[in-house]
Amino acid sequence: MMAEVINTIEMELKQTFDELFKWFNIDNELLNYTPDNRGWSIRKNLEHISLTNHYLLLLISKGAKKALERSKKEDFLGSLADYDLDWDRLKIIGQHRSFEWSRPGHMEPRGRMRITEIRYELEQQLKQCHKHLLSLQGGEGVLYKTMMSVNNLGKIDVYHYIYFLVQHAKRHITQMERVEVEFNLGVS
C-alpha cells in the first residue's frame, strides 16, 4: 500500500516539476508579462512556488526527521494497512481559485530573484522531496503530523505535505497558463 502511495507522489512530483521547468524556456516578454487583472507574471508565479516550497520543505524536513526517530521506538506497520492519503481532499489545492486563502507575506514574490536562481531553487527542492520520499519508503512518514491551515486540512503527515507541495505547484501552473493565453491574445 505505502509503495503505491509513494510511487504516485513520486510520479506526480516528477510530472509537475517537468512542467514547471518548461516555463524557464519561454520568451522574456511572456515571462515578465503582467496580466490585465494585475495578477502575477509567470516569473512571479515561479518565484512564489519556490518561496512556498522553501517553507513547506522546512516543515517536511522536520517532520521526516521526527518520523524517522519515532519509527525506531514505535511499532507502526500494523497501522499502514488502512492508510489513505485522501487524494481528493488534497487535489483541491491544485485547482486554481478552488478556495479562498490569504498567503503569508513571506511567500509573496518580490520580483527580485534572478530567473536562474529560481530554477536552481526549484531543482534543489525537487531533490529534497525525492530524498525525503526515499528515506520514508517504509511508511515512517505517517508517524509525524503537523497542522495545515490551508483549506482547513488540519493535521497532515509528511506524505500529505509533499503531495500538498505538488498540488500547490499545479495550482500556479494553471495560473501561468492563463497568463500565457492572455499574452497570446494581446499579441495577435
Side-chain angles (χ1 to χ4, degrees):
M1 181 62 165
M2 284 313 298
E4 189 178 311
V5 167
I6 292 168
N7 289 339
T8 300
I9 295 170
E10 276 281 359
M11 181 191 67
E12 286 198 43
L13 181 68
K14 181 187 178 332
Q15 289 172 345
T16 302
F17 273 76
D18 283 351
E19 182 64 31
L20 278 177
F21 292 134
K22 289 178 187 176
W23 291 99
F24 290 93
N25 300 320
I26 62 173
D27 176 86
N28 239 5
E29 193 176 349
L30 171 56
L31 185 69
N32 294 299
Y33 173 76
T34 302
D36 289 340
N37 67 0
R38 304 232 185 263
W40 292 339
S41 65
I42 291 170
R43 176 193 200 102
K44 282 191 173 183
N45 271 284
L46 291 166
E47 182 181 348
H48 168 71
I49 294 167
S50 75
L51 287 170
T52 302
N53 288 355
H54 170 79
Y55 291 103
L56 288 171
L57 278 160
L58 291 174
L59 296 171
I60 291 166
S61 295
K62 176 185 173 187
K65 181 180 176 192
K66 290 200 180 261
L68 287 168
E69 288 169 3
R70 286 183 181 173
S71 73
K72 294 174 185 163
K73 301 172 192 160
E74 295 178 32
D75 179 20
F76 65 96
L77 297 178
S79 65
L80 297 178
D82 297 329
Y83 182 78
D84 178 33
L85 193 87
D86 199 0
W87 305 100
D88 293 336
R89 201 164 65 111
L90 284 170
K91 284 189 187 252
I92 291 169
I93 303 304
Q95 299 166 10
H96 190 241
R97 296 193 175 131
S98 58
F99 60 91
E100 288 295 316
W101 173 249
S102 296
R103 89 192 63 65
H106 60 276
M107 293 181 193
E108 188 84 25
R110 306 284 182 238
R112 295 185 193 127
M113 283 180 77
R114 292 190 325 269
I115 197 70
T116 54
E117 266 182 278
I118 297 169
R119 182 180 179 113
Y120 178 78
E121 286 298 317
L122 288 171
E123 288 167 348
Q124 296 310 304
Q125 291 164 350
L126 175 60
K127 286 178 186 175
Q128 269 188 282
C129 288
H130 286 308
K131 183 187 91 175
H132 289 307
L133 287 170
L134 188 61
S135 74
L136 301 169
Q137 289 288 310
E140 299 90 347
V142 305
L143 291 172
Y144 189 78
K145 293 183 177 184
T146 309
M147 194 63 165
M148 172 56 80
S149 57
V150 176
N151 205 30
N152 300 312
L153 288 175
K155 282 197 163 199
I156 59 175
D157 65 34
V158 180
Y159 303 112
H160 283 80
Y161 260 93
I162 296 172
Y163 197 63
F164 179 96
L165 182 146
V166 171
Q167 294 304 316
H168 174 261
K170 285 182 179 185
R171 178 183 197 87
H172 289 284
I173 288 171
T174 301
Q175 197 173 347
M176 293 186 294
E177 289 168 345
R178 290 180 179 168
V179 171
E180 182 179 35
V181 166
E182 181 182 312
F183 175 84
N184 288 333
L185 287 172
V187 169
S188 16

